[in-house]
Amino acid sequence: MTSALPILQPRLILGLRTDVEGNAQFITDEDIIYPVGAVLTIHNLNQKRQKYIKLSDKGKNVTAVVVSPNKKLVAVVESGEKPFVTLWCPSTYKKKRQINLPTEKEIYATKFTAVAFTFDSKCLVCVTGEPDWTMYVFKCDKGKLESTARANNSNNTGYVRHVCCNPNDANLLALAGDGVIKILACTEFAWRQFGYGKGDQYNFTSATWLSQDRLLLGNVDGKILVIENGELKSIFFAGDLPTIDLKIKEELQQTSQTSLKVMSDTTLDAEEDHSIRALKAFPRGFAFGYLTGTVHLYEMETPHKYIKRNILKIPDHTIQREYEESSEEIKLTTVNCISINPSQARLIVTCNESQIYTATLWVQDSSNPGIESNFSEYGPALHNGPIGSMAICCWKPILLTAGKRDRTLKIWNYETEELDLMQKFQDDLFGVALHPTGLYAIVGFSDKLRFLTVMIDEFEITREFPVRNCKQCTFSKMGYMFAAVNGNVIQVYSSISFEMMYTLKGHNGKICGMSWTNDDRKMASCGNEGAVYEWVVAESSRLSETIMKQCEFKGVAITLDGKSIFVVSNDGHIRELMNSNVHRDVAVVPSGLDSIILSHIDQMLFVSGNNGTVYNIKIPLLEKAEYVEYSIHADTISHMLISYDDKYLFTGSHEGTICFWKLLNIEGKAVKLDKDFTPSKDILISRQILEERIAQTKNLQMRLKELETEYAYQLRQNDVVNSLRMKEIHSGYCQAIEELKEKNEQLESDHMQEIHNINLDIKQMKLDHEEFIRELEANYNEKLIFEYEKYLRLEEKMEKMRQYYEKELEELRKAKKDSEEKITNEFLMKLEEKEIQFEELVEQIARKTKAHEMIKQQIEEDADREIYELRAIHAKELREEQDLNVKIRGETAIVKKKLLTSQKEIDELKSKVYTLDNDHTKLKKSIINLEKDIADLKKEISERDATIQDKEKRIFDLKRKNQELEKFKFILDFKIKELKSQIEPRERMIQEQTEQINAMVRELENLQRVILSLDLQLHELREKLHASDNEVRKQIAKNAVMKRALKKIKTDIYLASGYVQNVPLLIKTVKEMYHKFNIDEDFELTQAEDSEVKTEFLRQREFLERTVTSLQMQVNKSTSTLSSDKVKLTEENAILLVETNMLRKELKDEQRRKDKLQSILGVNQKYLPPKVAMERVQNATATREEIRNEYRKTIEDNEKSIQVLREENDRLLNKVLVEASNYEVTAHDAAISEETAKRDSFI
């Protein structure tokens, strides 16, 4: 029955367990192994492939993962009543062997504190914890115990944390930990300590062997101890260690450049962690973690000297929360594990954060050692902490996740298995929901519920709602509404107008789940108070309710038609509710269920419970639930979702793990999509970013065109240079050939001469050899005769010796016969005695053979039993090998198919190359045509340059005018500053001299009043006269100019009337007259206006200087009037400054207009395309009427401003005169009163 259920296959697991030692290690250059959830994951990031090894009991007891040096074994260390180690093969993903502690011993330890492989990967060394503290050495192939030894100190002190096996000797290792260091050597299965053993004064945190005789130790104080051949050689401090020289033979008390100076505890920062963590040695150097989140990398320069190459920094993602105490905070960047790939090109590191970081080795230049560089994430950035909420959409294959602890929102593409978008926020995140289009999201923050727009590279806040800590929110199926939980109330908002449409009240406890029907008319919700409600959303009323106070409902799912509601609770039951009644009640697990999800056509049901188990439930529900369970999480699954096409299932747990499941065997159970339906690829992008991108592409296109022209020019230059070089090389080559021919002829003649000389030498050697042979023959003949005579003499001697020895032999034969007869008689006697002894021995042998046969039968039976067991084991191995062969055959077939496809691809690429060559030739032809067009356009440009030069002359005149105005403005600013600087010291002098002048002022008051009034009247009359004279002169000059211009115009009109019959010539002359007199008129107008502005400014300055002097004279009369006049003058001065600033702005605007005109005419650019040049020339050749109207408007505005300034000056003058007259009246009255007072006193 269960075969009809869909199959769940894990496709991608995102997460990392940080409570396991060695939680990320390389197996190959591309594959790494790390624990996540309830499995060991072997991940290849480049190929996007994950393989899994399922751990026992969901991996809850796993304490460490150790990889053998040859990368063929992985040891998973687990704790318990009796700890054990499981060996796995990372290539076949099969269990090799389980290593258990011996049963004959009483062992009280519950975990292994240290585990390591020997260098040859044949033995596994394990150290049990307290109270045993025993070291066990097991054989990896058989799992048998080979030897044991005591791990800690002899007085049972010390905590062993690390086992370091020697890289070249399997019988040598070191144990290190808190207050313990032991170097052990094995001889005949017995371990004996030797060398340095004073470890009680240090707490060692890590250790590694640099070579066969050199051990490196790191402690909690940041010290690195070097032990060589069992002796402590030197101590270094990791805080300041650019180089490590291990060949220093000085004593430890003597300081040197690299050895550690005696440091007190006060020199170390108590808040920092100075422990040396995860010491890792490799052939080219070693690395270790130091302080918080830094990894120091040293490279071996010589066998005794190491240089610091780089300091790698882990990014700190720690979040400070006000409601969390700092003492309980765990530093996320504390280094846990370091691993280096076999090719020594990359390094990975893990810390207390659920993320693997990686860096490339040997990138930093050795000339700049110690420069910090940052690690980067290995793969996508993962969530650190529990998954707060998840959401999916209908238009896109994306998944939205929120980190409960790390405050990040992430969007995953579950088809490409990539992270599309990530953003970090300042507030805690709770519930999330994704709009069906995937372009909008709602997120519950700690202060408000926010409606976000999903942009191309960020989440943009669109609207905020007053809902705090919203943990449950969801969009309706059609997306035009969304529901959010506010306390124990469900509020339904419009996603179009953002108004609250409905409020659903009824729950008394925490709301744990919501589910919409397909038509968005109904909604189901459940709470932990034991209530399940079915709502009619449009009426804000309850359609049905089911209350079970003994249950806490955790999740709810409603069918498409809304007839049935499925809920899960903490008692482990699934209940189907219909019309406020429990239709079916099925028990799944006793420990409780956490979440529920129903497929889009109500054919598949999935629930989670039992601390991370997913149950695939068969529906319709029966009396006894039929299900299949899948375990990949190690903690409670908080959220579970299904994709829009019912092909993927997503689960997120409290441990921060996200799993993407692939659904198989779903024919007839998944929603059928339209054939034309394709996932949306639309994204939202702001107008500003889009405009910037478009401008950037345009600039790049322009740059590309410029580069093409430059490249073509360079190619032509290179062709010219190469042709010249070819000519030089060809000429040199011809000369070299001639020289070689001459040398060859000379060598041939020399060779012929040498051959002739050699032939002569050979003839001479033959003659000498013949003579030498003749002499040898004569000598050997004489020697042969002498030897023959010698041979004859020796033959005679030998005959005599033979006769002598024959006589001796006959005598010896006779003596032998006599001795043989004696010996035979003696041996016959002895033989009789031996026969008697033999019979006795035969009887003994018969008795022993019977006993031997009994023993033999027992041995044969034991051997048969062992043979049967071995046959069974070998049969299993044979089956495994046969299965492997079948797999290998399948893989070979796949490889053959890949080869065929690759050959097809090669053929296709060849055809593409052929087509591209044809396109290349076509492009060359088009380039030649374009070059011709460019030449034609250049001619046109040269013709139009003549027209542009006329405009340039006009622009040059405007530039000169602007420069003159700028100079004039600079002079005025300088004079204003000088006047300000002169006024300040004079005011100080006035204050000092007021007391001296008071007496004199009383006598001169009457005279000054009269003089003031007369001076003011005189000045006014003079200014009016001066102004009227200027105006008269201007009018006279203007009339003279106009008369001259009229005469010229009349003469030109008279001359032009002669061309009445010739219309083209008449038009030409009229245009010339228009340009001629219009330019003169504009120039005269501008010159006249400039002169008027200058004279007006000088007149105003003179008038202001006079008023300032008159006001300073009035200041001396009374301090009260002085202060008021000062304020007025400052206000007036401020008004004048504002007006000058306005004039400056107008001047800048004119400068900008001038720059625009220059850019339109192309004055400041080196090269422009022909179309752009045409447009700019057309803009430059606009009619003069438009230019003239613009200038008239500016002249009128300036005239208005001048008129306003004049009125303001008149107003100020009137005010000053009134104040002066008032002051005279008051002074006169005061004088009369003083005189009357004097008279009265006199009387």
Side-chain angles (χ1 to χ4, degrees):
M1 294 295 289
T2 58
S3 61
L5 289 171
I7 299 170
L8 287 177
Q9 181 181 353
R11 184 176 177 185
L12 178 66
I13 304 174
L14 301 169
L16 178 69
R17 289 185 59 176
T18 59
D19 58 342
V20 178
E21 293 183 9
N23 56 350
Q25 299 183 56
F26 276 106
I27 295 175
T28 64
D29 283 336
E30 300 295 335
D31 295 332
I32 65 168
I33 187 168
Y34 56 90
V36 52
V39 295
L40 268 180
T41 303
I42 300 169
H43 192 181
N44 189 314
L45 186 64
N46 293 332
Q47 297 179 4
K48 293 183 180 179
R49 184 190 69 225
Q50 280 189 347
K51 298 291 183 182
Y52 311 106
I53 296 172
K54 191 174 181 181
L55 300 174
S56 60
D57 196 16
K58 295 185 180 179
K60 293 179 181 178
N61 300 322
V62 175
T63 58
V65 176
V66 184
V67 178
S68 63
N70 61 2
K71 312 296 182 184
K72 292 183 179 179
L73 290 174
V74 176
V76 180
V77 184
E78 299 186 39
S79 60
E81 291 183 2
K82 282 198 174 181
F84 61 92
V85 179
T86 308
L87 298 179
W88 296 85
C89 178
S91 58
T92 60
Y93 320 112
K94 291 183 179 179
K95 183 178 176 181
K96 284 284 188 182
R97 192 162 283 99
Q98 182 172 316
I99 295 175
N100 298 308
L101 293 173
T103 56
E104 62 270 12
K105 293 184 179 180
E106 292 185 359
I107 299 170
Y108 301 99
T110 58
K111 68 175 182 178
F112 290 116
T113 60
V115 177
F117 284 94
T118 55
F119 83 98
D120 53 3
S121 304
K122 291 182 179 179
C123 295
L124 185 70
V125 183
C126 306
V127 177
T128 57
E130 56 186 2
D132 299 334
W133 294 116
T134 306
M135 183 186 75
Y136 298 91
V137 181
F138 297 93
K139 277 285 186 182
C140 293
D141 54 352
K142 297 180 180 179
K144 291 183 178 179
L145 179 64
E146 195 172 64
S147 59
T148 61
R150 186 172 187 82
N152 63 347
N153 296 322
S154 57
N155 56 359
N156 201 20
T157 60
Y159 190 101
V160 178
R161 296 186 181 276
H162 298 280
V163 176
C164 296
C165 296
N166 193 279
N168 295 319
D169 190 356
N171 295 320
L172 185 63
L173 57 84
L175 303 174
D178 297 344
V180 61
I181 174 66
K182 295 179 75 174
I183 302 173
L184 303 175
C186 182
T187 54
E188 297 179 357
F189 304 103
W191 293 90
R192 294 179 178 82
Q193 183 179 359
F194 73 96
Y196 182 76
K198 297 178 182 179
D200 52 354
Q201 55 184 328
Y202 298 108
N203 289 333
F204 296 106
T205 55
S206 58
T208 187
W209 290 89
L210 283 180
S211 61
Q212 186 175 359
D213 54 356
R214 188 173 288 152
L215 179 66
L216 215 61
L217 299 165
N219 68 353
V220 294
D221 298 327
K223 296 178 183 178
I224 298 174
L225 284 72
V226 181
I227 296 174
E228 191 171 348
N229 294 321
E231 296 180 1
L232 182 62
K233 290 292 183 183
S234 54
I235 302 175
F236 302 97
F237 180 56
D240 185 15
L241 194 61
T243 59
I244 297 177
D245 192 353
L246 302 175
K247 209 172 182 181
I248 296 174
K249 296 183 179 180
E250 297 177 352
E251 296 181 356
L252 290 176
Q253 290 81 6
Q254 296 176 351
T255 59
S256 64
Q257 292 181 354
T258 57
S259 63
L260 175 66
K261 297 181 180 179
V262 178
M263 297 186 66
S264 63
D265 294 336
T266 57
T267 57
L268 297 175
D269 189 359
E271 295 180 357
E272 289 286 344
D273 183 10
H274 292 271
S275 302
I276 306 295
R277 296 179 180 273
L279 263 169
K280 181 73 175 178
F282 52 97
R284 290 184 62 182
F286 67 92
F288 60 87
Y290 179 63
L291 294 177
T292 304
T294 57
V295 175
H296 295 244
L297 182 66
Y298 287 82
E299 185 182 11
M300 182 173 66
E301 189 177 41
T302 64
H304 303 286
K305 189 175 181 181
Y306 293 81
I307 297 175
K308 185 186 288 187
R309 280 294 303 272
N310 209 345
I311 298 175
L312 302 169
K313 189 83 173 175
I314 298 174
D316 191 2
H317 297 142
T318 305
I319 296 172
Q320 298 289 341
R321 287 178 170 83
E322 295 177 358
Y323 53 84
E324 289 184 355
E325 296 181 2
S326 60
S327 60
E328 297 178 357
E329 186 179 351
I330 299 171
K331 293 184 178 179
L332 294 179
T333 56
T334 302
V335 176
N336 183 4
C337 172
I338 295 174
S339 181
I340 296 166
N341 65 345
S343 63
Q344 302 178 41
R346 295 195 70 79
L347 176 143
I348 59 172
V349 64
T350 60
C351 54
N352 290 330
E353 186 181 355
S354 298
Q355 182 68 51
I356 302 172
Y357 291 97
T358 182
T360 305
L361 297 180
W362 323 123
V363 172
Q364 186 62 43
D365 188 6
S366 61
S367 61
N368 296 320
I371 295 176
E372 290 188 1
S373 58
N374 289 329
F375 281 100
S376 59
E377 288 87 357
Y378 185 85
L382 306 177
H383 283 291
N384 182 32
I387 304 300
S389 184
M390 300 195 306
I392 58 168
C393 68
C394 296
W395 285 19
K396 294 181 179 182
I398 58 174
L399 171 70
L400 175 65
T401 60
K404 190 174 182 180
R405 189 172 184 82
D406 58 9
R407 296 175 176 174
T408 57
L409 273 181
K410 297 181 181 181
I411 291 181
W412 308 85
N413 190 318
Y414 54 81
E415 288 186 350
T416 60
E417 301 177 6
E418 292 178 353
L419 179 64
D420 287 350
L421 180 59
M422 180 183 77
Q423 187 170 343
K424 192 171 184 179
F425 295 89
Q426 297 299 320
D427 298 325
D428 290 339
L429 307 177
F430 294 97
V432 298
L434 203 57
H435 194 268
T437 60
L439 301 176
Y440 308 99
I442 51 174
V443 182
F445 290 86
S446 57
D447 55 348
K448 289 183 180 179
L449 178 72
R450 291 181 171 88
F451 190 94
L452 306 179
T453 303
V454 182
M455 307 298 287
I456 188 171
D457 54 358
E458 64 175 349
F459 293 92
E460 186 176 331
I461 298 172
T462 305
R463 197 66 176 263
E464 295 181 345
F465 305 94
V467 181
R468 295 169 61 87
N469 300 333
C470 180
K471 295 182 180 179
Q472 294 287 336
C473 55
T474 176
F475 276 97
S476 63
K477 298 288 185 180
M478 297 181 186
Y480 66 93
M481 293 187 294
F482 64 89
V485 174
N486 190 359
N488 55 7
V489 177
I490 300 173
Q491 296 175 346
V492 181
Y493 293 87
S494 170
S495 58
I496 298 167
S497 62
F498 302 113
E499 295 178 354
M500 189 167 68
M501 300 172 67
Y502 314 108
T503 303
L504 309 179
K505 297 180 180 179
H507 284 282
N508 296 324
K510 177 185 174 183
I511 299 172
C512 297
M514 296 184 293
S515 179
W516 293 83
T517 57
N518 203 30
D519 56 0
D520 294 343
R521 290 182 62 253
K522 298 179 184 178
M523 175 193 283
S525 63
C526 68
N528 61 358
E529 79 276 15
V532 179
Y533 297 121
E534 184 180 1
W535 306 88
V536 178
V537 179
E539 299 174 1
S540 299
S541 62
R542 281 180 279 183
L543 184 64
S544 65
E545 60 182 25
T546 305
I547 298 173
M548 303 175 70
K549 293 184 179 179
Q550 72 275 14
C551 294
E552 291 184 11
F553 291 112
K554 299 290 186 180
V556 63
I558 190 167
T559 56
L560 293 174
D561 54 5
K563 292 181 179 179
S564 299
I565 300 173
F566 295 91
V567 290
V568 293
S569 59
N570 62 345
D571 58 358
H573 286 241
I574 301 176
R575 294 176 174 86
E576 185 179 1
L577 309 178
M578 296 179 69
N579 299 323
S580 302
N581 296 319
V582 179
H583 183 63
R584 286 189 181 86
D585 189 347
V586 179
V588 180
V589 289
S591 58
L593 300 174
D594 304 310
S595 58
I596 184 170
I597 192 70
L598 193 63
S599 67
H600 290 85
I601 58 172
D602 304 334
Q603 294 295 317
M604 294 182 286
L605 180 66
F606 302 96
V607 298
S608 66
N610 196 16
N611 288 332
T613 304
V614 179
Y615 297 94
N616 183 4
I617 310 293
K618 185 177 180 180
I619 53 175
L621 296 176
L622 304 175
E623 292 182 359
K624 186 178 180 180
E626 294 184 7
Y627 59 85
V628 179
E629 61 180 73
Y630 301 91
S631 296
I632 205 160
H633 293 280
D635 204 349
T636 303
I637 295 173
S638 57
H639 294 85
M640 187 161 54
L641 299 170
I642 195 166
S643 64
Y644 66 92
D645 55 359
D646 291 340
K647 291 182 180 179
Y648 294 93
L649 183 73
F650 311 103
T651 54
S653 67
H654 287 319
E655 63 182 344
T657 303
I658 302 170
C659 183
F660 297 175
W661 303 82
K662 178 75 173 176
L663 293 176
L664 306 175
N665 192 19
I666 57 173
E667 290 80 6
K669 298 179 181 180
V671 64
K672 292 182 179 179
L673 300 174
D674 189 4
K675 292 180 181 179
D676 297 331
F677 176 79
T678 55
S680 174
K681 295 181 181 179
D682 297 334
I683 55 171
L684 295 178
I685 184 169
S686 63
R687 184 182 294 276
Q688 183 180 359
I689 295 172
L690 185 64
E691 288 174 353
E692 289 176 357
R693 298 267 173 97
I694 291 168
Q696 189 176 4
T697 52
K698 286 181 179 178
N699 292 330
L700 289 172
Q701 286 175 356
M702 290 289 293
R703 181 62 182 160
L704 183 64
K705 289 179 181 178
E706 291 175 0
L707 288 172
E708 284 177 354
T709 55
E710 289 178 4
Y711 182 66
Y713 176 73
Q714 288 176 1
L715 275 175
R716 288 194 292 272
Q717 293 293 113
N718 290 330
D719 289 338
V720 173
V721 172
N722 289 330
S723 61
L724 292 172
R725 286 182 181 174
M726 281 293 291
K727 288 178 182 178
E728 292 176 358
I729 291 165
H730 183 69
S731 61
Y733 179 70
C734 293
Q735 291 178 359
I737 287 169
E738 294 295 330
E739 291 176 357
L740 287 171
K741 282 181 180 178
E742 293 175 358
K743 286 182 180 179
N744 194 9
E745 290 174 356
Q746 188 174 358
L747 287 170
E748 284 179 354
S749 62
D750 294 340
H751 181 63
M752 294 299 291
Q753 185 66 33
E754 285 178 0
I755 288 168
H756 180 68
N757 294 331
I758 287 164
N759 289 328
L760 293 173
D761 293 337
I762 288 166
K763 287 179 181 179
Q764 186 65 36
M765 285 172 71
K766 281 181 179 179
L767 294 172
D768 295 338
H769 183 64
E770 288 175 356
E771 291 179 359
F772 181 70
I773 286 167
R774 289 192 198 108
E775 290 177 356
L776 281 174
E777 284 179 354
N779 291 328
Y780 277 112
N781 287 329
E782 291 176 358
K783 286 180 181 180
L784 280 170
I785 292 164
F786 177 75
E787 291 294 331
Y788 181 72
E789 291 175 353
K790 190 177 180 180
Y791 173 72
L792 292 174
R793 287 194 299 271
L794 289 169
E795 273 188 348
E796 290 176 358
K797 190 176 180 180
M798 188 180 72
E799 186 66 26
K800 290 177 182 179
M801 288 174 72
R802 187 174 63 77
Q803 291 174 1
Y804 175 73
Y805 281 113
E806 282 178 355
K807 288 178 182 179
E808 285 184 353
L809 278 169
E810 286 178 358
E811 292 175 356
L812 288 170
R813 283 172 188 165
K814 290 177 182 179
K816 184 181 177 184
K817 284 179 181 179
D818 296 336
S819 62
E820 281 179 357
E821 287 177 358
K822 290 179 183 180
I823 290 166
T824 51
N825 293 326
E826 290 176 358
F827 273 100
L828 286 170
M829 294 295 288
K830 289 179 180 178
L831 206 145
E832 290 175 358
E833 293 175 357
K834 294 290 179 183
E835 283 177 355
I836 295 164
Q837 292 177 2
F838 178 72
E839 289 175 357
E840 293 176 355
L841 289 169
V842 167
E843 291 176 358
Q844 291 178 3
I845 287 164
R847 290 195 298 270
K848 288 181 179 180
T849 49
K850 289 179 182 179
H852 177 68
E853 285 176 356
M854 295 293 293
I855 294 164
K856 186 178 177 183
Q857 286 178 359
Q858 291 178 359
I859 290 166
E860 285 176 352
E861 289 175 359
D862 294 336
D864 291 335
R865 203 177 294 112
E866 288 181 359
I867 288 162
Y868 181 73
E869 291 175 355
L870 288 169
R871 279 180 182 173
I873 292 164
H874 286 301
K876 287 181 181 178
E877 290 180 354
L878 253 173
R879 288 192 206 101
E880 291 176 357
E881 292 292 332
Q882 286 172 357
D883 294 336
L884 282 171
N885 287 330
V886 171
K887 287 181 182 178
I888 290 163
R889 285 173 186 171
E891 290 175 357
T892 51
I894 291 163
V895 170
K896 285 179 181 178
K897 289 179 182 178
K898 287 181 179 179
L899 278 170
L900 292 170
T901 54
S902 62
Q903 286 177 357
K904 290 179 182 177
E905 288 176 356
I906 288 163
D907 296 333
E908 290 175 358
L909 288 170
K910 285 180 180 177
S911 62
K912 285 181 181 178
V913 168
Y914 179 73
T915 54
L916 287 170
D917 288 333
N918 293 329
D919 294 338
H920 185 65
T921 53
K922 291 177 182 177
L923 286 169
K924 280 184 178 178
K925 291 177 181 177
S926 63
I927 286 163
I928 292 163
N929 295 325
L930 288 170
E931 285 178 352
K932 291 178 181 177
D933 295 337
I934 287 162
D936 297 333
L937 290 170
K938 282 181 179 178
K939 288 179 182 178
E940 290 181 5
I941 289 163
S942 61
E943 290 173 357
R944 290 172 184 172
D945 284 340
T947 57
I948 291 164
Q949 284 176 1
D950 297 332
K951 298 294 177 182
E952 284 179 353
K953 290 178 183 178
R954 178 69 177 163
I955 290 161
F956 182 71
D957 296 334
L958 291 169
K959 278 184 181 178
R960 266 191 298 173
K961 290 178 185 178
N962 286 328
Q963 288 174 359
E964 289 173 359
L965 288 170
E966 285 177 357
K967 289 177 183 177
F968 189 58
K969 183 189 77 173
F970 179 74
I971 291 163
L972 291 175
D973 291 336
F974 183 76
K975 286 183 178 179
I976 289 163
K977 288 177 182 178
E978 283 184 348
L979 288 169
K980 285 181 181 178
S981 61
Q982 289 173 5
I983 287 165
E984 290 176 358
R986 286 177 182 175
E987 286 178 352
R988 294 193 200 100
M989 290 172 70
I990 288 162
Q991 289 176 1
E992 293 173 356
Q993 293 176 0
T994 48
E995 294 177 358
Q996 298 175 2
I997 297 168
N998 284 331
M1000 296 172 68
V1001 167
R1002 290 170 189 167
E1003 296 175 1
L1004 297 172
E1005 280 178 355
N1006 296 325
L1007 293 172
Q1008 283 178 351
R1009 289 174 198 152
V1010 176
I1011 290 164
L1012 264 172
S1013 59
L1014 292 171
D1015 285 337
L1016 288 171
Q1017 291 175 5
L1018 184 66
H1019 286 312
E1020 285 177 1
L1021 292 169
R1022 282 179 180 174
E1023 285 172 358
K1024 287 178 181 179
L1025 183 64
H1026 185 65
S1028 60
D1029 289 338
N1030 287 331
E1031 287 177 0
V1032 169
R1033 289 195 200 96
K1034 285 177 186 176
Q1035 290 296 327
I1036 292 165
K1038 198 171 184 180
N1039 288 328
V1041 171
M1042 294 301 289
K1043 284 178 182 178
R1044 286 197 297 273
L1046 278 169
K1047 284 181 183 180
K1048 288 180 182 178
I1049 290 165
K1050 285 176 182 178
T1051 54
D1052 290 338
I1053 289 167
Y1054 178 74
L1055 293 171
S1057 62
Y1059 305 113
V1060 172
Q1061 301 300 324
N1062 191 354
V1063 176
L1065 191 59
L1066 181 63
I1067 291 165
K1068 187 177 178 181
T1069 52
V1070 170
K1071 281 184 180 179
E1072 288 175 356
M1073 285 170 64
Y1074 176 78
H1075 287 297
K1076 179 180 175 183
F1077 294 110
N1078 192 16
I1079 291 166
D1080 294 339
E1081 186 180 357
D1082 291 341
F1083 182 75
E1084 287 174 1
L1085 285 169
T1086 53
Q1087 289 290 102
E1089 288 164 1
D1090 291 341
S1091 61
E1092 285 179 6
V1093 169
K1094 287 178 184 178
T1095 54
E1096 183 66 21
F1097 184 83
L1098 291 169
R1099 190 177 66 79
Q1100 293 288 339
R1101 188 180 68 180
E1102 289 173 358
F1103 176 73
L1104 288 170
E1105 286 176 354
R1106 291 193 207 102
T1107 53
V1108 166
T1109 53
S1110 62
L1111 289 168
Q1112 283 179 354
M1113 291 169 67
Q1114 292 177 5
V1115 163
N1116 296 326
K1117 294 175 184 178
S1118 66
T1119 56
S1120 61
T1121 55
L1122 177 65
S1123 60
S1124 62
D1125 291 335
K1126 262 190 182 179
V1127 171
K1128 290 175 183 177
L1129 283 169
T1130 52
E1131 288 176 354
E1132 290 166 357
N1133 196 5
I1135 292 165
L1136 289 170
L1137 288 170
V1138 168
E1139 290 172 353
T1140 52
N1141 288 327
M1142 291 293 292
L1143 289 169
R1144 286 175 185 168
K1145 286 181 182 178
E1146 290 175 0
L1147 185 65
K1148 286 181 180 177
D1149 292 334
E1150 291 296 327
Q1151 186 68 29
R1152 285 174 190 160
R1153 288 178 188 173
K1154 182 191 73 175
D1155 294 333
K1156 284 182 182 178
L1157 190 60
Q1158 286 180 352
S1159 63
I1160 289 166
L1161 293 171
V1163 175
N1164 294 328
Q1165 294 185 358
K1166 295 180 180 178
Y1167 174 77
L1168 286 173
K1171 290 183 181 179
V1172 179
M1174 285 288 291
E1175 290 175 0
R1176 293 189 178 182
V1177 169
Q1178 288 174 2
N1179 291 328
T1181 56
T1183 58
R1184 289 188 174 275
E1185 286 295 326
E1186 294 175 356
I1187 297 166
R1188 190 170 180 180
N1189 291 329
E1190 288 179 1
Y1191 276 108
R1192 280 178 180 171
K1193 287 179 183 178
T1194 53
I1195 288 162
E1196 288 173 0
D1197 294 334
N1198 290 328
E1199 285 177 355
K1200 288 179 182 177
S1201 62
I1202 289 163
Q1203 186 66 31
V1204 170
L1205 286 169
R1206 284 175 180 170
E1207 291 174 358
E1208 185 68 17
N1209 288 330
D1210 295 333
R1211 187 181 64 80
L1212 290 170
L1213 282 169
N1214 293 326
K1215 192 182 284 186
V1216 169
L1217 291 170
V1218 169
E1219 287 176 358
S1221 62
N1222 291 331
Y1223 182 78
E1224 287 174 0
V1225 171
T1226 53
H1228 182 68
D1229 294 335
I1232 292 166
S1233 62
E1234 284 178 0
E1235 287 176 358
T1236 54
K1238 286 179 182 179
R1239 287 173 187 173
D1240 293 334
S1241 63
F1242 180 75
I1243 292 165

